[in-house]
Amino acid sequence: MIYLNGKFMPIEEACIPVLDRGFIFGDGIYEVIPAYSRKPFRLAKHLDRLQHSLDGIRLQNPFSNAEWKNLLEQVIAKNDGEDQYLYLHITRGVAKRDHAFPVNVPPTIFIMSNPLLPPPAELLVSGASAITAIDNRWIRCDVKAISLLPNVLLRQLAVDVHAIETILIRDGFLTEGAASNIFVVKDKVLLAPPKSHLMLPGITYDVILELAAANKIAHEIREISETEIRKADEILLTSSTKEIMPITLLDNNSVGNGKPGAMFTQLHALYQQYKATHMRGNASGDTEDL
Ligand code: PMP
């Protein structure tokens, strides 16, 4: 069951007019929110990012955070599975085709849920492969825009060579993955690129850095050069649906000794513990101010 513009319905019955500006211009934003044991994970943070994306495209938030929470909980309740991921999508609505913003047009609001499966166990044991590419996206990558054509093309480069992700480099420095954030480990120090308009501020990225700080894991938030990526002891990928994964092959070269490293093992265990705390209902960042 999905939610579309005030109604719940089976996805097969959901329709939008062809003049929706999401369809015509890619004029909209989205969020992906995991729910574990039917509880949205880090909901307050996701709703903050949603507001940031809406502000970035000058679209008014149609709901308060309490209304979003209520709506998302209804979608979760109407779908199967203890663990789900919610996809939430808002466009600038339906109007005669014209680049300029339409006046007094209600937004299109769509929410769907899909089962949330953990990454395949064998990839956590053996590691996954990634490739690199030049980051040719726009310079508002902090906005979670539905116009994802560059990301689609960049991810397909990885799929074409049976890799799981394309790691993006802009002007000689790491930005992120086509649909993930990327960390590097060198000499037991976790390195994270600083948040900026050139990357999406990942919710999982924040959790990993909070866990590093709370567990006295040496870490630095700073620019990471392409050379440092290629000489890394470990490369880690994070996202809400993939959690944390080790990249052990980059452009066909082994990363470090070619096996998931100690930093991955420690952070993966801490992430699982953190999720368990969330399911018991006392993790930070879950529902504050909602
Ligand atoms: N960067 C990009 C470009 C993404 O698409 C995603 C996944 N939505 C991320 C980073 C990771 O963000 P999060 O941890 O919030 O899923």
Side-chain angles (χ1 to χ4, degrees):
M1 293 292 277
I2 65 104
Y3 170 92
L4 181 63
N5 296 333
K7 294 193 188 102
F8 293 94
M9 64 192 84
I11 191 151
E12 296 75 21
E13 286 172 23
C15 286
I16 54 153
V18 288
L19 284 180
D20 192 285
R21 290 177 63 97
F23 183 59
I24 295 288
F25 293 119
D27 184 2
I29 55 90
Y30 74 109
E31 257 306 315
V32 174
I33 308 173
Y36 297 107
S37 298
R38 295 187 176 274
K39 272 189 57 193
F41 184 64
R42 291 230 145 189
L43 182 56
K45 305 287 180 194
H46 280 281
L47 293 179
D48 283 352
R49 189 170 67 183
L50 177 75
Q51 185 64 56
H52 177 80
S53 296
L54 287 167
D55 292 344
I57 70 161
R58 298 168 56 187
L59 189 55
Q60 211 187 332
N61 196 333
F63 297 127
S64 68
N65 280 2
E67 287 167 332
W68 278 121
K69 181 168 187 275
N70 180 278
L71 204 50
L72 293 166
E73 284 171 353
Q74 289 189 60
V75 175
I76 294 171
K78 289 177 196 298
N79 282 280
D80 291 337
E82 289 301 289
D83 295 349
Q84 305 177 15
Y85 71 90
L86 300 157
Y87 174 89
L88 188 169
H89 176 125
I90 308 170
T91 80
R92 210 181 303 275
V94 181
K96 182 173 178 299
R97 188 182 181 280
D98 179 359
H99 289 58
F101 295 173
V103 180
N104 289 332
V105 165
T108 300
I109 306 164
F110 168 53
I111 308 171
M112 67 177 164
S113 169
N114 280 292
L116 178 56
L117 304 170
E122 63 271 17
L123 282 185
L124 300 181
V125 174
S126 62
S129 75
I131 59 167
T132 55
I134 299 294
D135 191 341
N136 58 8
R137 301 172 301 164
W138 68 334
I139 49 170
R140 285 308 307 276
C141 297
D142 55 314
V143 172
K144 211 164 164 51
I146 60 169
S147 26
L148 283 171
L149 186 54
N151 304 62
V152 167
L153 294 172
L154 289 163
R155 168 59 72 80
Q156 189 61 32
L157 294 177
V159 173
D160 289 344
V161 295
H162 308 290
I164 68 151
E165 184 58 301
T166 305
I167 295 179
L168 305 177
I169 296 166
R170 195 190 286 261
D171 299 331
F173 291 94
L174 167 68
T175 52
E176 58 182 335
S180 59
N181 288 113
I182 301 291
F183 294 80
V184 160
V185 180
K186 189 66 185 173
D187 298 331
K188 302 190 164 57
V189 180
L190 179 70
L191 304 176
K195 284 184 189 172
S196 77
H197 57 290
L198 300 180
M199 70 172 238
L200 186 79
I203 305 298
T204 324
Y205 165 103
D206 281 343
V207 175
I208 292 297
L209 286 176
E210 283 172 31
L211 290 173
N215 292 278
K216 307 212 165 19
I217 296 172
H219 61 283
E220 286 175 24
I221 301 172
R222 63 160 174 82
E223 301 274 13
I224 300 167
S225 72
E226 178 172 357
T227 315
E228 286 180 295
I229 308 171
R230 302 207 181 278
K231 293 193 172 153
D233 297 330
E234 295 180 47
I235 297 176
L236 308 176
L237 174 157
T238 66
S239 82
S240 290
T241 50
K242 294 203 167 79
E243 302 182 341
I244 178 165
M245 292 190 56
I247 301 297
T248 48
L249 202 63
L250 185 69
D251 292 334
N252 268 330
N253 298 310
S254 289
V255 178
N257 67 4
K259 299 198 176 95
M263 185 70 82
F264 165 72
T265 307
Q266 184 178 6
L267 286 172
H268 182 259
L270 289 168
Y271 195 82
Q272 299 310 314
Q273 269 171 33
Y274 185 85
K275 264 168 57 183
T277 316
H278 158 80
M279 289 182 231
R280 288 196 302 273
N282 47 5
S284 66
D286 279 352
T287 53
E288 72 260 32
D289 304 327
L290 292 187

mmCIF file of all heavy atoms in Angstrom, residues 30-32 46 49 137 141 144 148 151 176-181 199-205 238-241, ligand 1:
data_model
loop_
_atom_site.group_PDB
_atom_site.id
_atom_site.type_symbol
_atom_site.label_atom_id
_atom_site.label_comp_id
_atom_site.label_asym_id
_atom_site.label_seq_id
_atom_site.Cartn_x
_atom_site.Cartn_y
_atom_site.Cartn_z
ATOM 1 N N TYR A 30 13.383 13.974 -2.643
ATOM 2 C CA TYR A 30 12.946 12.722 -2.022
ATOM 3 C C TYR A 30 13.747 12.442 -0.764
ATOM 4 O O TYR A 30 14.729 13.125 -0.462
ATOM 5 C CB TYR A 30 13.036 11.555 -3.014
ATOM 6 C CG TYR A 30 14.439 11.061 -3.319
ATOM 7 C CD1 TYR A 30 14.877 9.822 -2.849
ATOM 8 C CD2 TYR A 30 15.333 11.829 -4.064
ATOM 9 C CE1 TYR A 30 16.159 9.351 -3.125
ATOM 10 C CE2 TYR A 30 16.615 11.358 -4.342
ATOM 11 C CZ TYR A 30 17.022 10.125 -3.866
ATOM 12 O OH TYR A 30 18.288 9.672 -4.129
ATOM 13 N N GLU A 31 13.318 11.425 -0.052
ATOM 14 C CA GLU A 31 14.019 10.932 1.139
ATOM 15 C C GLU A 31 13.886 9.417 1.160
ATOM 16 O O GLU A 31 12.899 8.871 0.645
ATOM 17 C CB GLU A 31 13.386 11.471 2.430
ATOM 18 C CG GLU A 31 14.125 12.589 3.121
ATOM 19 C CD GLU A 31 15.583 12.301 3.429
ATOM 20 O OE1 GLU A 31 15.901 11.202 3.929
ATOM 21 O OE2 GLU A 31 16.410 13.182 3.174
ATOM 22 N N VAL A 32 14.832 8.748 1.741
ATOM 23 C CA VAL A 32 14.726 7.301 1.979
ATOM 24 C C VAL A 32 14.983 7.074 3.472
ATOM 25 O O VAL A 32 16.028 7.468 3.988
ATOM 26 C CB VAL A 32 15.747 6.514 1.127
ATOM 27 C CG1 VAL A 32 15.721 5.033 1.498
ATOM 28 C CG2 VAL A 32 15.456 6.699 -0.356
ATOM 29 N N HIS A 46 16.205 12.579 9.306
ATOM 30 C CA HIS A 46 15.703 12.486 7.932
ATOM 31 C C HIS A 46 14.760 13.649 7.623
ATOM 32 O O HIS A 46 14.790 14.196 6.514
ATOM 33 C CB HIS A 46 14.994 11.143 7.708
ATOM 34 C CG HIS A 46 15.940 10.010 7.462
ATOM 35 N ND1 HIS A 46 16.536 9.778 6.252
ATOM 36 C CD2 HIS A 46 16.427 9.052 8.291
ATOM 37 C CE1 HIS A 46 17.329 8.726 6.332
ATOM 38 N NE2 HIS A 46 17.286 8.262 7.557
ATOM 39 N N ARG A 49 16.710 16.740 6.982
ATOM 40 C CA ARG A 49 17.295 16.734 5.628
ATOM 41 C C ARG A 49 16.221 16.990 4.579
ATOM 42 O O ARG A 49 16.468 17.668 3.576
ATOM 43 C CB ARG A 49 18.027 15.410 5.367
ATOM 44 C CG ARG A 49 18.838 15.449 4.071
ATOM 45 C CD ARG A 49 19.745 14.259 3.909
ATOM 46 N NE ARG A 49 19.002 13.015 3.718
ATOM 47 C CZ ARG A 49 19.568 11.817 3.599
ATOM 48 N NH1 ARG A 49 20.884 11.685 3.685
ATOM 49 N NH2 ARG A 49 18.826 10.751 3.419
ATOM 50 N N ARG A 137 28.287 15.654 -11.595
ATOM 51 C CA ARG A 137 26.950 16.111 -11.209
ATOM 52 C C ARG A 137 26.945 17.629 -11.031
ATOM 53 O O ARG A 137 27.964 18.287 -11.104
ATOM 54 C CB ARG A 137 26.526 15.414 -9.915
ATOM 55 C CG ARG A 137 26.511 13.890 -10.050
ATOM 56 C CD ARG A 137 26.282 13.223 -8.706
ATOM 57 N NE ARG A 137 27.321 13.597 -7.759
ATOM 58 C CZ ARG A 137 27.245 13.432 -6.446
ATOM 59 N NH1 ARG A 137 26.156 12.892 -5.922
ATOM 60 N NH2 ARG A 137 28.245 13.789 -5.665
ATOM 61 N N CYS A 141 24.745 18.945 -4.636
ATOM 62 C CA CYS A 141 24.555 17.519 -4.304
ATOM 63 C C CYS A 141 24.066 17.333 -2.874
ATOM 64 O O CYS A 141 23.735 16.214 -2.466
ATOM 65 C CB CYS A 141 25.853 16.768 -4.541
ATOM 66 S SG CYS A 141 26.353 16.801 -6.266
ATOM 67 N N LYS A 144 18.626 16.457 -1.984
ATOM 68 C CA LYS A 144 18.274 15.102 -2.435
ATOM 69 C C LYS A 144 17.214 15.230 -3.530
ATOM 70 O O LYS A 144 16.020 15.006 -3.316
ATOM 71 C CB LYS A 144 17.794 14.269 -1.236
ATOM 72 C CG LYS A 144 18.115 12.775 -1.368
ATOM 73 C CD LYS A 144 17.984 12.080 -0.030
ATOM 74 C CE LYS A 144 17.898 10.576 -0.125
ATOM 75 N NZ LYS A 144 18.907 9.880 -0.901
ATOM 76 N N LEU A 148 17.984 12.498 -11.034
ATOM 77 C CA LEU A 148 19.158 11.697 -10.683
ATOM 78 C C LEU A 148 19.900 11.159 -11.901
ATOM 79 O O LEU A 148 20.625 10.175 -11.786
ATOM 80 C CB LEU A 148 18.712 10.511 -9.800
ATOM 81 C CG LEU A 148 18.419 10.856 -8.334
ATOM 82 C CD1 LEU A 148 17.789 9.662 -7.615
ATOM 83 C CD2 LEU A 148 19.677 11.279 -7.597
ATOM 84 N N ASN A 151 23.587 10.455 -11.506
ATOM 85 C CA ASN A 151 23.801 9.333 -10.584
ATOM 86 C C ASN A 151 23.471 8.005 -11.245
ATOM 87 O O ASN A 151 24.149 7.001 -11.041
ATOM 88 C CB ASN A 151 22.940 9.498 -9.325
ATOM 89 C CG ASN A 151 23.191 10.807 -8.617
ATOM 90 O OD1 ASN A 151 22.955 11.873 -9.180
ATOM 91 N ND2 ASN A 151 23.682 10.742 -7.398
ATOM 92 N N GLU A 176 31.751 11.369 -2.894
ATOM 93 C CA GLU A 176 30.927 10.296 -2.303
ATOM 94 C C GLU A 176 30.724 9.220 -3.347
ATOM 95 O O GLU A 176 31.405 9.212 -4.377
ATOM 96 C CB GLU A 176 29.579 10.870 -1.838
ATOM 97 C CG GLU A 176 28.794 11.529 -2.955
ATOM 98 C CD GLU A 176 27.478 12.153 -2.503
ATOM 99 O OE1 GLU A 176 26.913 11.737 -1.498
ATOM 100 O OE2 GLU A 176 27.010 13.061 -3.221
ATOM 101 N N GLY A 177 29.792 8.279 -3.121
ATOM 102 C CA GLY A 177 29.450 7.291 -4.133
ATOM 103 C C GLY A 177 28.246 7.775 -4.931
ATOM 104 O O GLY A 177 27.618 8.781 -4.574
ATOM 105 N N ALA A 178 27.900 7.046 -6.003
ATOM 106 C CA ALA A 178 26.742 7.446 -6.811
ATOM 107 C C ALA A 178 25.462 7.427 -5.980
ATOM 108 O O ALA A 178 24.529 8.187 -6.255
ATOM 109 C CB ALA A 178 26.603 6.534 -8.024
ATOM 110 N N ALA A 179 25.401 6.551 -4.964
ATOM 111 C CA ALA A 179 24.237 6.516 -4.051
ATOM 112 C C ALA A 179 24.675 6.108 -2.647
ATOM 113 O O ALA A 179 24.005 5.317 -1.975
ATOM 114 C CB ALA A 179 23.176 5.558 -4.596
ATOM 115 N N SER A 180 25.801 6.640 -2.197
ATOM 116 C CA SER A 180 26.330 6.269 -0.866
ATOM 117 C C SER A 180 27.377 7.291 -0.450
ATOM 118 O O SER A 180 27.839 8.081 -1.276
ATOM 119 C CB SER A 180 26.986 4.883 -0.942
ATOM 120 O OG SER A 180 28.038 4.901 -1.904
ATOM 121 N N ASN A 181 27.747 7.258 0.816
ATOM 122 C CA ASN A 181 28.915 8.027 1.270
ATOM 123 C C ASN A 181 30.108 7.078 1.393
ATOM 124 O O ASN A 181 29.930 5.877 1.587
ATOM 125 C CB ASN A 181 28.639 8.706 2.621
ATOM 126 C CG ASN A 181 27.665 9.864 2.479
ATOM 127 O OD1 ASN A 181 26.543 9.803 2.976
ATOM 128 N ND2 ASN A 181 28.078 10.915 1.797
ATOM 129 N N MET A 199 28.292 16.999 -1.681
ATOM 130 C CA MET A 199 27.864 15.642 -1.305
ATOM 131 C C MET A 199 26.575 15.680 -0.513
ATOM 132 O O MET A 199 26.216 16.699 0.079
ATOM 133 C CB MET A 199 28.957 14.904 -0.513
ATOM 134 C CG MET A 199 29.192 15.442 0.890
ATOM 135 S SD MET A 199 30.322 14.399 1.828
ATOM 136 C CE MET A 199 29.297 13.971 3.240
ATOM 137 N N LEU A 200 25.886 14.540 -0.535
ATOM 138 C CA LEU A 200 24.676 14.427 0.272
ATOM 139 C C LEU A 200 25.096 14.178 1.724
ATOM 140 O O LEU A 200 25.921 13.294 1.980
ATOM 141 C CB LEU A 200 23.814 13.253 -0.222
ATOM 142 C CG LEU A 200 22.478 13.189 0.502
ATOM 143 C CD1 LEU A 200 21.508 14.207 -0.082
ATOM 144 C CD2 LEU A 200 21.879 11.802 0.425
ATOM 145 N N PRO A 201 24.543 14.948 2.680
ATOM 146 C CA PRO A 201 24.880 14.679 4.078
ATOM 147 C C PRO A 201 24.167 13.398 4.538
ATOM 148 O O PRO A 201 22.998 13.423 4.898
ATOM 149 C CB PRO A 201 24.377 15.928 4.822
ATOM 150 C CG PRO A 201 23.334 16.521 3.923
ATOM 151 C CD PRO A 201 23.633 16.090 2.515
ATOM 152 N N GLY A 202 24.870 12.296 4.460
ATOM 153 C CA GLY A 202 24.258 10.988 4.747
ATOM 154 C C GLY A 202 23.878 10.856 6.215
ATOM 155 O O GLY A 202 24.624 11.279 7.105
ATOM 156 N N ILE A 203 22.730 10.254 6.449
ATOM 157 C CA ILE A 203 22.305 9.994 7.831
ATOM 158 C C ILE A 203 23.198 8.890 8.417
ATOM 159 O O ILE A 203 23.613 8.957 9.583
ATOM 160 C CB ILE A 203 20.812 9.586 7.864
ATOM 161 C CG1 ILE A 203 19.929 10.637 7.167
ATOM 162 C CG2 ILE A 203 20.360 9.325 9.304
ATOM 163 C CD1 ILE A 203 19.910 12.009 7.759
ATOM 164 N N THR A 204 23.548 7.901 7.586
ATOM 165 C CA THR A 204 24.430 6.820 8.051
ATOM 166 C C THR A 204 25.849 7.364 8.291
ATOM 167 O O THR A 204 26.521 6.954 9.247
ATOM 168 C CB THR A 204 24.462 5.694 7.000
ATOM 169 O OG1 THR A 204 23.176 5.578 6.406
ATOM 170 C CG2 THR A 204 24.858 4.371 7.622
ATOM 171 N N TYR A 205 26.292 8.274 7.439
ATOM 172 C CA TYR A 205 27.593 8.960 7.604
ATOM 173 C C TYR A 205 27.659 9.579 9.006
ATOM 174 O O TYR A 205 28.636 9.413 9.729
ATOM 175 C CB TYR A 205 27.697 10.005 6.492
ATOM 176 C CG TYR A 205 28.760 11.086 6.598
ATOM 177 C CD1 TYR A 205 29.931 11.014 5.843
ATOM 178 C CD2 TYR A 205 28.559 12.226 7.390
ATOM 179 C CE1 TYR A 205 30.891 12.033 5.900
ATOM 180 C CE2 TYR A 205 29.510 13.233 7.452
ATOM 181 C CZ TYR A 205 30.675 13.136 6.704
ATOM 182 O OH TYR A 205 31.613 14.144 6.772
ATOM 183 N N THR A 238 28.772 3.685 3.008
ATOM 184 C CA THR A 238 27.616 3.708 3.914
ATOM 185 C C THR A 238 26.372 4.243 3.201
ATOM 186 O O THR A 238 26.470 5.120 2.345
ATOM 187 C CB THR A 238 27.855 4.600 5.165
ATOM 188 O OG1 THR A 238 27.984 5.969 4.755
ATOM 189 C CG2 THR A 238 29.070 4.172 5.948
ATOM 190 N N SER A 239 25.228 3.676 3.560
ATOM 191 C CA SER A 239 23.936 4.255 3.166
ATOM 192 C C SER A 239 22.858 3.617 4.028
ATOM 193 O O SER A 239 23.085 2.573 4.659
ATOM 194 C CB SER A 239 23.632 4.040 1.683
ATOM 195 O OG SER A 239 23.105 2.761 1.458
ATOM 196 N N SER A 240 21.679 4.238 4.005
ATOM 197 C CA SER A 240 20.588 3.748 4.855
ATOM 198 C C SER A 240 20.206 2.317 4.514
ATOM 199 O O SER A 240 19.809 1.565 5.384
ATOM 200 C CB SER A 240 19.356 4.636 4.674
ATOM 201 O OG SER A 240 19.609 5.886 5.236
ATOM 202 N N THR A 241 20.280 1.936 3.241
ATOM 203 C CA THR A 241 19.851 0.584 2.881
ATOM 204 C C THR A 241 21.017 -0.404 2.902
ATOM 205 O O THR A 241 20.813 -1.584 3.132
ATOM 206 C CB THR A 241 19.191 0.562 1.483
ATOM 207 O OG1 THR A 241 20.052 1.240 0.581
ATOM 208 C CG2 THR A 241 17.842 1.247 1.496
HETATM 209 N N1 PMP B 1 25.031 10.020 -1.149
HETATM 210 C C1 PMP B 1 24.126 9.784 -2.122
HETATM 211 C C2 PMP B 1 24.320 10.418 -3.457
HETATM 212 C C3 PMP B 1 23.013 8.947 -1.861
HETATM 213 O O1 PMP B 1 22.094 8.726 -2.827
HETATM 214 C C4 PMP B 1 22.889 8.331 -0.597
HETATM 215 C C5 PMP B 1 21.758 7.374 -0.300
HETATM 216 N N2 PMP B 1 20.526 7.991 -0.293
HETATM 217 C C6 PMP B 1 23.859 8.603 0.388
HETATM 218 C C7 PMP B 1 24.912 9.453 0.076
HETATM 219 C C8 PMP B 1 23.757 7.993 1.764
HETATM 220 O O2 PMP B 1 22.818 8.676 2.544
HETATM 221 P P1 PMP B 1 22.030 7.936 3.722
HETATM 222 O O3 PMP B 1 23.068 7.399 4.654
HETATM 223 O O4 PMP B 1 21.213 8.998 4.342
HETATM 224 O O5 PMP B 1 21.228 6.850 3.086
#
